[in-house]
Each structure stands twice: as C-alpha cells, then as structure tokens.
C-alpha cells in the first residue's frame, strides 16, 4: 500500500513500525513543512491507529533529538541541545514532538509503545543521491569525483551497519517489556568524518582528492550512543559489524548500482507510473538532484 501518514489510515494491524520520514538532511530540508507534518501528524495518525487496532507501535526516533550534544557519549537520560529555529529543526523538533506524543499516548491511552533513537545508519540499498556522508563518500570515490568533507572533518559520528540496526529494531518490537523510556540503537565506535573519508578511499582504491566544503549550520560536533540500555533490555544486543566490513558490503553494492543504467530514468518512470502530476516529473528532470529528493521523500513518507 502506498500511503502518506500525514493522512489518516484505517487498516487492521497488530504491529506498526513507524519509520516514515526522510532522514537525510538534504532530503528533510527540501520540504521542511512536510517533514514536520510527517513526524507530527504522522505520529498522531499512527498512534490513533495503534489505539483503535490495539496494536503495538514502534517509533523510529533519532540521535538528532540530542542536537549538538554537550554530553558525550549520549545516554537516553540526556535532554539534548537543539536549535528550535534552524535548518535542521524541522527534523529534530518533529522527532522530539513525536516522542512527546508517543509517551502521552502511552500515559493517557495505554498504547503499547517502543521508541528507538537511531544513530547514523548505512548499508546496501541506500540511494546514490541520498546525500548522507557514507553514501556520498562511496559514490564520489567510485566515480573518481572529489570527496566532499564539510568543515575540517574533525566532527565525529558513529556508524551502524543496517543489519545490526534492523536486528535491534526487531528485538525492541518483540521484547515484552521495555520500561519507561526510549532506547538508543547505534554503534558506539566513533570516527571523525576525515577518518571515514580516508577509509573509503583505501577500501575503494580510489584516487579521488579530498576537498573541503562549508560546514552546514548546526552540524553536531560529536555523536556516539551509549547503548547499555539496549544491551540490558534486548538480550545483549550490540552491533556486530565493524565499519570496514560494513563499508566493504556497501561499496560492493554501489559498484553494482553505478554500473547499471542511470537511476534517474528509472525514478522518473516510477513517478509517472504512480500517476503523480507530470509537472513534478518535468521539474525533476530539469534538476537531477531534485528528482531524487522528490522521489525519496515520497517513498519514505
Ligand atoms: N486515526 C487513524 N486510523 C485509525 C484511528 C485514528 O488514522 O484507525 C487517526 C485519526 O484521523 C485521528 C488520529 O488518528 O485524527 C488520532 O486518533 P485518536 O483516536 O487518538 O484521536 P481523535 O480521533 O479522538 O482525535
Ligand atoms: N558530511 C560531509 N560530507 C558529505 C556529507 C556529510 O562531510 O558529503 C558530514 C556532515 O557535515 C556531518 C557528517 O558528515 O558532520 C554526517 O552527515 P550526514 O548528513 O550523514 O548525517 P547527520 O549525522 O549530520 O545527520
């Protein structure tokens, strides 16, 4: 079923994974108001559905609720340091408001909720134009284009391989009791963005130069999850895939994708097939990146 969670949805279900929302800064900033609607109205509709259908519901929250954190690493008890009016706010505040809604529906309506705060995740099947750092660097390296490091590259992230994250989400959904709060899911091994660039260059054998671009506003300086709570609640869950192993699998995937016919054509075709207004498709054709942004936003929503 293709559906935008901003609109109500009446179906019979036992479990809901509410993953709706673009997660790449490039994509969620493309239409910030729709991003907010997706998180806030989407949460209200999905919680209303969970309440009526008596379904268990899991919310994909985010490490972005910690903003530019002054506590390091980030534990679930940290309330965060978020700019309410910046370019990232549509995502950060949307996800924070969604968390509020989840806990209010739990307290007031007794809805059976699970809230995962997902830290930077990567892996095969990412879109080449996703815009986040791991896919950007791999695609740039494989195409022999410059690797775009924003700022001086000393900011840190902790990258979790998708299989590890999915395992964590499923365990969280399945666990009979998860206590009273959200659960961080991510890999606690921390790298600088520059280290990531160098690792991608080494693993691809690429000779792409590293170039510096301006640091986007409110870009968090550091990020690393504290995952003791997940370990305790989810039967000793922790990420098993080291960065290099996950990167190798992701690089292998992108080698196949980039060798295939241009994704743009496929995506435009799929827009037309879904009977979206042709003007959207034409607008998209005029601007390659917008094609991909539009489609990703629609797909994720
Ligand atoms: N909702 C939905 N599917 C359902 C039940 C509710 O999409 O199966 C939506 C409905 O549009 C409503 C929202 O979820 O606006 C919140 O529902 P709730 O019952 O909590 O609130 P109310 O309808 O009383 O405003
Ligand atoms: N970044 C970068 N080059 C890129 C894309 C991202 O240096 O081509 C940096 C970005 O400034 C941030 C980090 O990599 O410090 C992670 O960015 P991403 O967009 O993947 O996710 P975020 O964690 O910021 O939501």
């Amino acid at each position: 079923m293709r559906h935008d969670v901003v609109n109500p949805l009446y179906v019979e279900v036992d479990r809901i994974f509410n993953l709706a929302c673009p997660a790449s800064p490039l994509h969620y900033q493309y239409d910030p108001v729709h991003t907010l609607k997706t998180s806030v109205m989407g949460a209200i509709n999905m919680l209303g559905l969970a309440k009526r259908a008596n379904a268990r519901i899991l919310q994909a929250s985010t490490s972005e609720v910690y903003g530019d954190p002054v506590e390091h690493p980030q534990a679930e008890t940290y309330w965060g340091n978020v700019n309410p009016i910046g370019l990232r706010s549509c995502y950060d505040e949307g996800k924070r408001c969604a968390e509020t809604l989840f806990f209010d529906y739990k307290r007031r309506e007794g809805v059976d909720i699970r809230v995962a705060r997902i830290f930077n995740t990567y892996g095969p099947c990412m879109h080449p134009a996703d815009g986040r750092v791991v896919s950007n660097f791999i695609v740039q390296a494989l195409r022999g284009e410059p690797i775009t490091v924003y700022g001086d590259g000393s900011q840190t992230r902790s990258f979790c391989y998708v299989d590890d994250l999915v395992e964590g989400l499923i365990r969280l959904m399945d666990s009979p009791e998860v206590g009273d709060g959200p659960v961080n899911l991510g890999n606690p091994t921390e790298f600088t963005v520059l280290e990531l660039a160098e690792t991608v260059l080494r693993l691809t054998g690429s000779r792409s130069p590293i170039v510096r671009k301006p640091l986007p506003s409110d870009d968090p300086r550091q990020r690393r999850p504290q995952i003791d709570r997940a370990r305790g609640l989810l039967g000793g869950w922790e990420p098993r895939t080291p960065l290099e192993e996950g990167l190798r699998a992701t690089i292998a995937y992108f080698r196949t994708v980039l060798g295939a016919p241009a994704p743009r054509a496929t995506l435009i075709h799929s827009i037309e097939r879904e009977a979206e207004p042709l003007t959207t498709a034409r607008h998209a054709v005029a601007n390659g990146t917008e094609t991909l942004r539009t489609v990703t936003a629609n797909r994720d929503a």
Side-chain angles (χ1 to χ4, degrees):
M1 176 188 296
R2 186 181 166 94
H3 182 80
D4 184 339
V5 293
V6 167
N7 302 312
L9 176 65
Y10 287 82
V11 287
E12 302 312 316
V13 290
D14 303 307
R15 291 187 171 185
I16 304 166
F17 288 84
N18 185 31
L19 310 184
C21 194
S24 161
L26 185 74
H27 296 277
Y28 69 63
Q29 288 170 26
Y30 176 67
D31 187 347
V33 175
H34 200 81
T35 299
L36 264 167
K37 285 184 182 171
T38 302
S39 282
V40 177
M41 295 163 69
I44 291 173
N45 286 328
M46 291 305 103
L47 284 160
L49 171 62
K51 185 178 102 179
R52 186 190 53 74
N54 203 16
R56 180 177 290 176
I57 179 165
L58 180 149
Q59 166 70 353
S61 190
T62 169
S63 53
E64 284 287 315
V65 301
Y66 301 120
D68 189 8
V70 293
E71 264 186 33
H72 193 72
Q74 292 79 53
E76 291 87 347
T77 45
Y78 178 47
W79 289 355
N81 176 35
V82 175
N83 176 358
I85 57 165
L87 294 177
R88 297 177 83 102
S89 311
C90 61
Y91 187 72
D92 300 11
E93 297 288 27
K95 291 285 190 177
R96 286 170 70 92
C97 181
E99 285 200 7
T100 309
L101 284 161
F102 268 70
F103 285 94
D104 280 333
Y105 266 81
K106 176 187 164 83
R107 280 186 289 260
R108 210 185 68 159
E109 311 287 355
V111 174
D112 185 10
I113 64 160
R114 304 283 185 275
V115 175
R117 290 184 177 158
I118 300 173
F119 285 64
N120 296 65
T121 301
Y122 71 97
C125 295
M126 289 183 83
H127 198 282
D130 176 274
R132 277 174 288 183
V133 68
V134 175
S135 47
N136 267 13
F137 285 1
I138 293 176
V139 168
Q140 289 162 346
L142 292 179
R143 286 180 174 155
E145 293 168 358
I147 308 285
T148 53
V149 168
Y150 301 161
D152 64 5
S154 65
Q155 69 272 34
T156 69
R157 293 293 187 272
S158 308
F159 300 103
C160 185
Y161 188 63
V162 61
D163 292 7
D164 290 327
L165 193 271
V166 169
E167 171 73 23
L169 288 177
I170 291 172
R171 285 198 199 191
L172 181 60
M173 179 60 107
D174 286 347
S175 66
E177 188 43 61
V178 288
D180 275 337
V183 182
N184 284 342
L185 292 180
N187 190 325
T189 321
E190 187 177 2
F191 296 86
T192 66
V193 164
L194 201 54
E195 282 169 339
L196 176 72
E198 284 159 358
T199 310
V200 167
L201 283 173
R202 179 164 51 79
L203 296 180
T204 52
S206 167
R207 286 200 254 152
S208 288
I210 291 179
V211 298
R212 301 287 158 87
K213 297 263 180 155
L215 191 67
S217 63
D218 299 328
D219 199 276
R221 284 282 324 145
Q222 53 182 1
R223 186 181 285 158
R224 172 154 58 100
Q226 230 246 54
I227 60 164
D228 296 2
R229 196 169 141 75
R231 274 201 194 96
L233 288 170
L234 309 180
W237 172 87
E238 60 183 13
R240 309 236 169 258
T241 317
L243 183 67
E244 288 207 10
E245 191 184 322
L247 286 179
R248 280 182 210 283
T250 313
I251 290 165
Y253 168 77
F254 275 114
R255 276 193 205 284
T256 327
V257 171
L258 299 179
R264 209 209 278 187
T266 323
L267 288 167
I268 291 166
H269 174 67
S270 78
I271 290 179
E272 286 172 345
R273 215 183 40 218
E274 298 288 353
E276 300 246 355
L278 260 180
T279 45
T280 311
R282 291 215 185 86
H283 180 59
V285 176
N287 182 338
T289 51
E290 282 186 8
T291 307
L292 304 169
R293 285 182 203 169
T294 308
V295 171
T296 305
N298 288 345
R299 186 199 62 204
D300 288 351

